[in-house]
Amino acid sequence: ATPRDAEIRKDVQTYYGQVLKKSADLQTNACVTAARPVPQHIREALQNVHEEVSLRYYGCGLVIPECLENCWILDLGSGSGRDCYALSQLVGEKGHVTGIDMTEGQVEVANNYIEYHMEKYGFQAPNVTFIHGYIEKLEEAGIKNESYDIVISNCVINLVPDKQQVLQEVYRVLKHGGELYFSDVYASLELPEEIRTHKVLWGECLGGALYWKDLFILAKKIGFCPPRLVTANFITVQNKDLKNVIGDCCFVSATFRLFKLPKTVPTKKCQVIYNGGITGHEKELIFDANFTFKKDEAVEVDEETASILKNSRFAQDFLIGPDGEKLPTCGGYTALEVKDVITDPFELAGRSDSAESRSSPAVGGCCSTKKCS
């Protein structure tokens, strides 16, 4: 690491290990933004997590994807372990969850409650492990190649100066067909020096935010499929001094899916039918901002989506038609409209704000929708 990177790492460790004592100490809503309604089975899993673990949670919304039974999951920046303990219930005894965090105090909190949670879940042996280490140095932490089905990250990648190194390590440890499902903070423009060097803004997840278009560049460079946008919400800043530093720059909390697929022959667009077999999503599966699959309804998908569904853990939950042929269905039919595909998290956040403003009073944010568009 460069001297500057080492300094940032030390500042972040201090912020999360000493400055912050509880979620209420945060100066922005970057790390507590709710992404979308939480399914009942996940709410129940979260309720089983020990109070002390939840109290020390500073995540960005909730990053728990679907179809988790028996999966091996790695949580980058696991903190006090809240998401790991929820996930450990959802993967079951045959699955496993590993959490890695660079803040020693947070890892200690997480490790203190392993026995408590395993006893509560009725598991014979622990299916969760916590490691003190750096998310851009997973190999040094002993994490092997192609060893995980899913990697999640909850508002943490922005805290690391070298985003490319993090994504390269994630790509290395994912199995073919695996997924990085992560929430993070993105900027509406390339950040100026005064924001990138501000210690509190780094700790609050804004100073290290990636310009959102750069995510697509990095993903392609490393080998991932193009990022799939899931949710996005504008970030609000309560502190007036911080608002002055930020100026016209806008930020969103956004969730993306990145898939590592085997290097196979490109798949043509086709029809798929969701069978309703995923726990908590029996009637419909909201895959991302562009695709919602309703049970027994035929949906036309593009080449990339077809390839993801065929080559990932979701394959068992879909009937996928031969290239160019229509599937017989007793349900409805949805045709693909390419012009409607959303990739810009600021556009999606603006749409969400517009929908909410029609049904509830306006809530102040760091910027107006017009400024961010």
Side-chain angles (χ1 to χ4, degrees):
T2 66
R4 172 61 185 151
D5 290 355
E7 182 184 348
I8 290 172
R9 180 186 290 164
K10 184 178 179 181
D11 289 342
V12 171
Q13 285 176 311
T14 300
Y15 199 73
Y16 282 86
Q18 300 175 28
V19 177
L20 294 180
K21 300 301 181 185
K22 55 187 181 301
S23 298
D25 294 335
L26 293 163
Q27 299 296 310
T28 76
N29 72 334
C31 293
V32 292
T33 304
R36 62 185 182 188
V38 180
Q40 178 64 29
H41 72 293
I42 294 179
R43 289 202 301 271
E44 291 173 356
L46 288 169
Q47 288 170 2
N48 286 330
V49 177
H50 193 280
E51 182 182 10
E52 174 66 15
V53 171
S54 295
L55 183 67
R56 295 294 297 272
Y57 161 78
Y58 310 121
C60 185
L62 187 68
V63 287
I64 296 183
E66 319 81 9
C67 196
L68 301 176
E69 289 85 353
N70 303 325
C71 284
W72 277 60
I73 301 177
L74 173 64
D75 183 2
L76 304 180
S78 51
S80 61
R82 191 202 75 161
D83 289 358
C84 288
Y85 283 123
L87 286 163
S88 70
Q89 299 168 77
L90 301 174
V91 301
E93 287 191 85
K94 293 182 180 179
H96 191 275
V97 181
T98 302
I100 181 169
D101 200 276
M102 71 173 182
T103 307
E104 203 164 358
Q106 290 282 71
V107 175
E108 287 177 6
V109 172
N111 273 318
N112 286 341
Y113 293 96
I114 291 179
E115 186 176 343
Y116 168 88
H117 288 97
M118 296 305 105
E119 185 176 329
K120 191 175 185 67
Y121 306 158
F123 291 172
Q124 295 300 309
N127 71 340
V128 60
T129 305
F130 295 102
I131 300 172
H132 178 230
Y134 301 103
I135 67 173
E136 69 272 39
K137 297 181 178 181
L138 299 179
E139 190 167 15
E140 285 187 9
I143 298 176
K144 298 178 181 179
N145 293 353
E146 299 178 12
S147 53
Y148 287 91
D149 302 290
I150 305 166
V151 176
I152 67 166
S153 174
N154 199 339
C155 199
V156 172
I157 294 177
N158 65 83
L159 296 173
V160 179
D162 193 344
K163 275 72 169 171
Q164 180 173 326
Q165 182 62 30
V166 176
L167 294 179
Q168 284 177 332
E169 277 291 87
V170 169
Y171 191 87
R172 179 184 66 80
V173 304
L174 277 175
K175 300 175 184 177
H176 288 291
E179 175 188 14
L180 168 61
Y181 185 89
F182 69 116
S183 180
D184 215 66
V185 177
Y186 298 91
S188 59
L189 45 79
E190 295 283 356
L191 294 182
E193 184 74 7
E194 58 266 29
I195 295 178
R196 289 190 291 108
T197 57
H198 197 286
K199 290 185 178 182
V200 174
L201 287 177
W202 262 98
E204 291 285 334
C205 304
L206 304 185
L210 192 67
Y211 174 41
W212 74 270
K213 290 185 179 181
D214 286 344
L215 174 65
F216 288 75
I217 295 171
L218 287 176
K220 182 178 181 180
K221 183 177 182 180
I222 291 166
F224 283 107
C225 289
R228 316 279 302 206
L229 177 61
V230 181
T231 63
N233 295 277
F234 287 123
I235 289 172
T236 58
V237 180
Q238 291 81 36
N239 185 294
K240 290 183 179 180
D241 292 335
L242 295 183
K243 282 185 180 180
N244 291 333
V245 176
I246 289 168
D248 289 337
C249 185
C250 300
F251 297 90
V252 289
S253 166
T255 299
F256 282 96
R257 323 185 76 125
L258 286 178
F259 285 89
K260 173 185 176 179
L261 298 187
K263 309 299 182 184
T264 56
V265 178
T267 302
K268 295 180 180 179
K269 70 177 183 179
C270 62
Q271 285 189 21
V272 302
I273 298 176
Y274 173 50
N275 64 21
I278 298 176
T279 302
H281 305 272
E282 290 80 6
K283 293 184 178 179
E284 68 174 20
L285 171 65
I286 303 175
F287 192 72
D288 57 26
N290 299 296
F291 284 98
T292 295
F293 300 105
K294 296 183 179 179
K295 185 179 185 297
D296 297 330
E297 179 178 289
V299 179
E300 184 180 285
V301 298
D302 59 278
E303 296 89 338
E304 179 189 302
T305 304
S307 184
I308 288 172
L309 295 179
K310 281 184 177 182
N311 294 287
S312 69
R313 69 187 187 281
F314 294 97
Q316 62 187 356
D317 297 296
F318 282 85
L319 173 62
I320 301 175
D323 295 343
E325 293 185 21
K326 291 187 176 181
L327 292 170
T329 176
C330 58
Y333 170 75
T334 302
L336 173 68
E337 295 187 48
V338 177
K339 61 179 172 52
D340 291 332
V341 171
I342 307 171
T343 59
D344 181 350
F346 288 88
E347 178 187 349
L348 182 59
R351 291 189 186 190
S352 300
D353 265 16
S354 296
E356 289 177 9
S357 65
R358 287 194 294 269
S359 58
S360 62
V363 178
C366 71
C367 57
S368 67
T369 303
K370 179 181 287 186
K371 185 185 293 184
C372 290
S373 60

